[in-house]
Amino acid sequence: MNVAVMGYGTVGSGVVEILNKRGLCLDVKYILDLRDFPGDENASKFTKDFNDILTDTTVDIVVETMGGQNPAFDFVSKCLKAGKHVVTSNKELVAERGLELITLAKENNVNFMFEASVGGGIPIIRPLTFCLRANNIRSINGILNGTTNFILTKMIRENMAFDEALKIAQDNGYAEKDPTADVEGHDACRKICILSALAFGNHVYPKNVHCEGITKIALEDVANVAKIGAAIKLIGTTEKLSDGKIYIIVSPAIVLESSQLNSVSDVFNAVLVDGDATDEVMFFGKGAGKLATASAVVADALDCAEHKDLRRPIFWGPEKPELIADYRTVENQYYIRLKNVDKTAALAAFPGSKIIDGASDVSFITGKVTENAAVEIIKSLGADLCAMIRVAKA
């Protein structure tokens, strides 16, 4: 079967490399990119005209690795309408326009697959869709961004300031020149939206998810939580609450020593899925990288080839905003650090709290409390709030 690859960057070139070298049943017929690649071994396959791909009836599968929504959405939509299977690694495209695209795929009896959009080479979309389908998923918690995990690891292990750790991440190629999507949590937010849609059946738009990054994490708080064996990670969470609503959030979180996510460090990602039959199942590995991500893309392309005339049942419904819980009203535990407050009074105001000894300020882990209630309690104490970080739910 013939394949066209749209985008010849890191992932796209990795896809072509694997297909050329592994002797698989897929042949690369076109590579779409506006740039020139003089001397490239695939020179005869390059085109700058999308219509070459769209109108060629011998192209069965299209791989989209351009990134972003435009022109990716337009190109992918047209390919699906033309009866071509589409595979993508584009997390922004799936998170923002996934509902439209899987609907188009269904209407045209073709596949739209996106394993590489979450976790790179870590299998999670297919296991969540097929292997765990006998479960009612209760929650998903994940370290979904390798860049932020690398930065936080540097802060934890080497007492390194955020700015210094970010510079090292950029020097090593883990972070872009503009790291906003990573450090402000937008990348992780797109991924948890995709996982939430698969787990609970309704699209969730990133703009409707509360998202906090790691830029305000202080070394003092990193050191404080380390005293109880905990670590600060950027966690994406989606959970089905007892009232049927979905609690979904991306934020720094205190990961306790008892959690499987506690030891996940450097550029590694991990996704912890809790099902009512399996309980907790964790998927772990490098969440990015040329060949790791390309391997997931190629696996999807092979799946399309093997199911050329049979649609894979990957689908979810439209967003229901009324089902998204207000994160400020959901009970959680918090790490809190206060100044200008009496320790005894602070602990009395938060029943069930556990003090963290040795901190220069008053630092403790609360019992279960909503964020709204915690903020009001701190106001009533007249204290200065230095830090307030959720404790991870898994």
Side-chain angles (χ1 to χ4, degrees), residues 107-337:
E107 290 172 350
N108 292 277
N109 198 34
V110 290
N111 289 302
F112 175 63
M113 304 189 75
F114 43 89
E115 179 65 65
S117 66
V118 180
I122 304 171
I124 181 59
I125 303 295
R126 191 172 278 100
L128 192 59
T129 305
F130 300 108
C131 305
L132 297 173
R133 66 190 305 179
N135 287 257
N136 287 314
I137 302 301
R138 295 184 291 217
S139 67
I140 299 174
N141 289 272
I143 297 170
L144 302 171
N145 183 273
T147 301
T148 53
N149 207 40
F150 175 84
I151 291 169
L152 290 169
T153 299
K154 285 289 184 184
M155 294 175 71
I156 293 166
R157 292 182 178 174
E158 301 178 33
N159 197 36
M160 188 178 291
F162 170 81
D163 289 342
E164 186 180 355
L166 172 60
K167 178 65 166 56
I168 293 174
Q170 290 172 319
D171 291 344
N172 287 339
Y174 301 143
E176 301 290 340
K177 184 177 180 181
D178 179 1
T180 303
D182 291 324
V183 300
E184 294 295 350
H186 305 315
D187 175 79
C189 185
R190 291 164 184 154
K191 294 172 182 176
I192 198 63
C193 285
I194 296 169
L195 294 177
S196 186
L198 286 167
F200 303 128
N202 292 99
H203 196 89
V204 180
Y205 290 98
K207 67 180 180 180
N208 295 329
V209 174
H210 180 71
C211 183
E212 301 172 20
I214 65 169
T215 56
K216 297 178 181 178
I217 298 298
L219 284 175
E220 183 171 353
D221 299 311
V222 171
N224 278 350
V225 300
K227 294 169 184 172
I228 59 171
I232 300 177
K233 310 283 186 182
L234 184 70
I235 301 292
T237 293
T238 184
E239 178 186 3
K240 177 69 74 72
L241 301 176
S242 59
D243 62 2
K245 290 190 175 184
I246 305 299
Y247 171 70
I248 181 168
I249 191 169
V250 173
S251 72
I254 307 301
V255 182
L256 301 176
E257 193 172 21
S258 57
S259 170
Q260 294 185 66
L261 297 175
N262 178 274
S263 61
V264 178
S265 59
D266 293 316
V267 295
F268 287 90
N269 286 192
V271 183
L272 195 61
V273 181
D274 183 21
D276 64 347
T278 58
D279 290 328
E280 289 186 344
V281 180
M282 190 166 86
F283 301 85
F284 168 82
K286 287 188 176 179
K290 177 178 179 176
L291 293 181
T293 304
S295 72
V297 174
V298 173
D300 272 351
L302 288 168
D303 203 348
C304 288
E306 292 164 359
H307 296 85
K308 182 177 182 295
D309 301 313
L310 179 66
R311 241 195 110 254
R312 301 292 264 162
I314 300 175
F315 197 76
W316 58 74
E319 185 180 47
K320 294 183 178 179
E322 68 275 12
L323 291 182
I324 305 299
D326 182 347
Y327 70 95
R328 295 165 298 186
T329 65
V330 176
E331 282 194 336
N332 206 349
Q333 289 182 279
Y334 290 88
Y335 160 82
I336 293 177
R337 178 163 60 90

